[in-house]
Amino acid sequence: RSGEMAKLTQVIDNEVFRAYATYTAIVLLKMMLMSLITAYFRITRKAFVNPEDTAVFGKGESAKKNLRTDPDVERVRRGHLNDLENIVPFLGIGLLYALSGPELSTALLHFRIFAGARIVHTFAYLIPLPQPSRGLSWAVGYAVTISMAYKVLKAVLYL
């Protein structure tokens, strides 16, 4: 049993794993920030989807007018949804990649480019920046995840 624990300690002390943990924390915090931005826009635009959320703004008909969609809220929500669609695969594939024994410099390049692309994507969505900025930032992050998946399959191919 102590041999298993030593292996886990070795993983945690591994520089590539620590780099993965660092950039995973960054993109997860960025994704969590999107929830707060959504809440901010809902409150400032008075655009809610649940009747109980409108109680702060009155009762009856005055509250019902706040049950609506708002283009700014929906834009933030789409950005958040895009994070979920891209960061969740990064978490799994990035972990497998980190455990597959890549060079630290190559792993850092993958992790940094992915995190940077997701941050640029968020700014491109929220500001909004003209296309193709959002599309390119999405494609760069997606390509990084595909690259890591390819390297994992190449390293441990058990098909």
Side-chain angles (χ1 to χ4, degrees):
R1 192 109 184 129
S2 64
E4 290 176 27
M5 190 58 97
K7 290 177 187 174
L8 181 58
T9 304
Q10 289 171 346
V11 168
I12 293 171
D13 287 341
N14 180 293
E15 286 182 309
V16 173
F17 181 79
R18 289 185 11 231
Y20 165 76
T22 299
Y23 288 96
T24 294
I26 290 168
V27 295
L28 287 174
L29 286 170
K30 189 216 77 60
M31 189 168 67
M32 291 171 63
L33 180 62
M34 294 300 284
S35 295
L36 296 175
I37 295 170
T38 302
Y40 169 79
F41 275 88
R42 282 202 183 283
I43 292 166
T44 59
R45 305 307 193 268
K46 296 181 182 172
F48 302 97
V49 292
N50 300 309
E52 64 272 17
D53 297 339
T54 65
V56 174
F57 300 102
K59 297 196 185 285
E61 292 304 313
S62 65
K64 283 184 183 176
K65 71 179 180 188
N66 295 319
L67 282 175
R68 61 186 183 84
T69 59
D70 178 85
D72 293 332
V73 173
E74 292 307 309
R75 185 170 198 81
V76 175
R77 289 184 67 238
R78 287 191 306 272
H80 192 187
L81 180 59
N82 194 276
D83 274 352
L84 289 168
E85 294 168 350
N86 290 274
I87 291 173
V88 171
F90 168 81
L91 298 177
I93 291 171
L95 177 60
L96 295 174
Y97 174 72
L99 297 175
S100 71
E103 291 292 325
L104 177 61
S105 60
T106 306
L108 279 169
L109 187 64
H110 279 89
F111 301 152
R112 287 173 177 164
I113 290 173
F114 181 83
R118 292 313 304 171
I119 291 167
V120 169
H121 185 270
T122 297
F123 282 114
Y125 231 124
L126 296 180
I127 289 176
L129 297 176
Q131 282 287 30
S133 57
R134 191 179 79 236
L136 285 174
S137 60
W138 170 84
V140 167
Y142 202 80
V144 166
T145 304
I146 295 293
S147 172
M148 289 188 301
Y150 172 77
K151 290 180 184 299
V152 167
L153 289 173
K154 188 177 169 191
V156 297
L157 199 58
Y158 278 113
L159 299 177

